Amino acid sequence: MANRIRKAVFPVAGLGTRFLPATKAVPKEMLPVVDRPLIQYAVEEALAAGIEDIIFVTGRGKSAIEDHFDHAIELEGVLSGRGKEAELAAARGPVLSAGRIAYTRQQEALGLGHAVWCAREFVGDEPFAVLLADDLVMAETPCLKQMVDVHERTGGNVVAVMDVPREHTNRYGILDVGADDGKLAEITGLVEKPDPKDAPSTLSIIGRYILLPRIFSELDRHEKGAGGEIQLTDAMARMIGGAPFDGLRFEGRRFDCGDKVGFLEANIAFALARDDLADSVRKILREYH
Ligand code: G1P
């Protein structure tokens, strides 16, 4: 079994109801933070972590994502004819190598665990990554790269984690923790979206996972959990006690772009990090104090 993480799965079938009407005809993963769609940040993070093969688990109404990662021949022709080099580079930037990208459809909305299970034939018998584009991480070392480095040491499952306010535990997969050095927390239990009073900790999973292929045999059971959905967290919980399983308190800042305020904050933070925009954005922000 290969140990290097070569493949990444991107579940992108979600309906994005929290952003209606914006997401009526546009996939939520295509909403832009500054000038790039959310999904492009996640794919770039994966590529920066050494990922070679990209698998999108998509759904009806999501074909804009496929177009985004392909050539736009007519647009490129126009830009090139007009000598617009920077714009041409921006249009070509997301194009992925031929044959290194696969799309499969999650035909029914049965949950995140089911979405990942849909990628099983593409992943095969090797450890792989899962990235949820809603969770955008700004970091010096890309979050997934930090996790790959941990996996290279442990050979086990790794999830990215952060502490959240106790009243928010019902939004996340929550860890029960054993040995903990402040950076890496050994996982002894996992529970999906517990009530604050029942949560074993406030350490929450954000949408970055490195999983051993055994997850697929756990997902094969199609057991329904929280919210009547097939939960990835439940399948992961059943793997505890086998291979090492750790939560990494990653370095960086995570923005919850599945939430309106988090999405707006990401736009501000990413704009302020850009040399071409920071000054003018800071200036307009002062007007809103
Ligand atoms: C999913 C997972 C949850 C995880 C979260 C991270 O929930 O089920 O365990 O903590 O992503 O964003 P969702 O946000 O899809 O409800």
Side-chain angles (χ1 to χ4, degrees), residues 28 82 95 102 122 128 134 147 167 183 196 199-200 255 273 275 278:
K28 65 171 174 167
R82 292 182 186 164
V95 178
F122 295 89
F128 65 104
D134 277 2
M147 296 167 68
E167 64 268 26
K183 192 165 163 62
F255 300 92
D275 290 342

Side-chain angles (χ1 to χ4, degrees), residues 27-48 68-69 89-94 133 136-138 257 263 266-267 270-271 273-274 276-277:
K28 65 171 174 167
E29 297 79 10
M30 290 300 295
L31 297 179
V33 169
V34 186
D35 53 11
R36 271 189 274 175
L38 277 171
I39 188 66
Q40 190 175 336
Y41 288 94
V43 166
E44 285 173 356
E45 180 183 328
L47 296 176
H68 185 72
F69 291 101
R92 284 186 177 153
L136 178 55
V137 186
M138 185 187 265
C257 291
F263 178 73
N267 268 284
F270 276 77
R274 289 254 302 244
D276 58 333
L277 296 174

Side-chain angles (χ1 to χ4, degrees), residues 1-268:
M1 190 171 75
N3 198 36
R4 207 160 59 82
I5 308 299
R6 304 183 305 148
K7 301 184 180 184
V9 174
F10 296 80
V12 293
L15 294 177
T17 51
R18 279 192 277 173
F19 278 88
L20 282 168
T23 48
K24 187 177 170 191
V26 174
K28 65 171 174 167
E29 297 79 10
M30 290 300 295
L31 297 179
V33 169
V34 186
D35 53 11
R36 271 189 274 175
L38 277 171
I39 188 66
Q40 190 175 336
Y41 288 94
V43 166
E44 285 173 356
E45 180 183 328
L47 296 176
I51 295 296
E52 295 166 1
D53 289 312
I54 303 281
I55 302 142
F56 285 107
V57 180
T58 178
R60 288 178 293 279
K62 297 278 185 164
S63 52
I65 297 175
E66 293 173 46
D67 292 338
H68 185 72
F69 291 101
D70 195 358
H71 282 290
I73 301 293
E74 200 183 326
L75 174 63
E76 290 176 27
V78 171
L79 294 173
S80 146
R82 292 182 186 164
K84 301 242 179 209
E85 292 307 320
E87 291 80 354
L88 186 59
R92 284 186 177 153
V95 178
L96 294 165
S97 308
R100 290 294 193 193
I101 179 160
Y103 298 90
T104 188
R105 278 193 179 195
Q106 184 189 23
Q107 292 136 325
E108 290 173 88
L110 296 178
L112 178 61
H114 178 258
V116 171
W117 177 81
C118 289
R120 68 202 179 282
E121 296 295 338
F122 295 89
V123 172
D125 190 23
E126 60 182 277
F128 65 104
V130 177
L131 294 96
L132 307 184
D134 277 2
D135 284 314
L136 178 55
V137 186
M138 185 187 265
E140 215 149 283
T141 304
C143 181
L144 188 66
K145 173 76 172 76
Q146 298 175 39
M147 296 167 68
V148 163
D149 291 345
V150 170
H151 171 80
E152 274 170 9
R153 286 205 319 270
T154 64
N157 301 287
V158 186
V159 290
V161 296
M162 60 184 275
D163 267 303
V164 298
R166 183 161 277 275
E167 64 268 26
H168 290 174
T169 57
N170 56 5
R171 302 181 187 176
Y172 299 96
I174 302 289
L175 274 57
D176 203 346
V177 174
D180 186 351
D181 67 6
K183 192 165 163 62
L184 213 57
E186 181 202 0
I187 299 181
T188 55
L190 282 171
V191 37
E192 179 69 5
K193 302 195 169 99
D195 272 351
K197 62 173 174 18
D198 304 323
S201 78
T202 54
L203 214 46
S204 310
I205 301 177
I206 65 131
R208 299 288 183 278
Y209 310 78
I210 288 178
L211 298 170
L212 302 185
R214 192 189 133 194
I215 192 78
F216 293 120
S217 14
E218 300 300 340
L219 290 168
D220 272 339
R221 293 157 61 159
H222 291 266
E223 248 169 53
K224 291 190 175 155
E229 296 191 341
I230 300 169
Q231 297 290 354
L232 185 60
T233 303
D234 296 342
M236 291 193 302
R238 292 195 291 267
M239 294 205 289
I240 296 167
F245 205 149
D246 294 292
L248 172 67
R249 291 187 184 83
F250 59 97
E251 281 164 24
R253 184 160 186 168
R254 171 256 188 182
F255 300 92
D256 177 6
C257 291
D259 169 78
K260 289 182 187 98
V261 175
F263 178 73
L264 290 170
E265 189 188 356
N267 268 284
I268 294 167

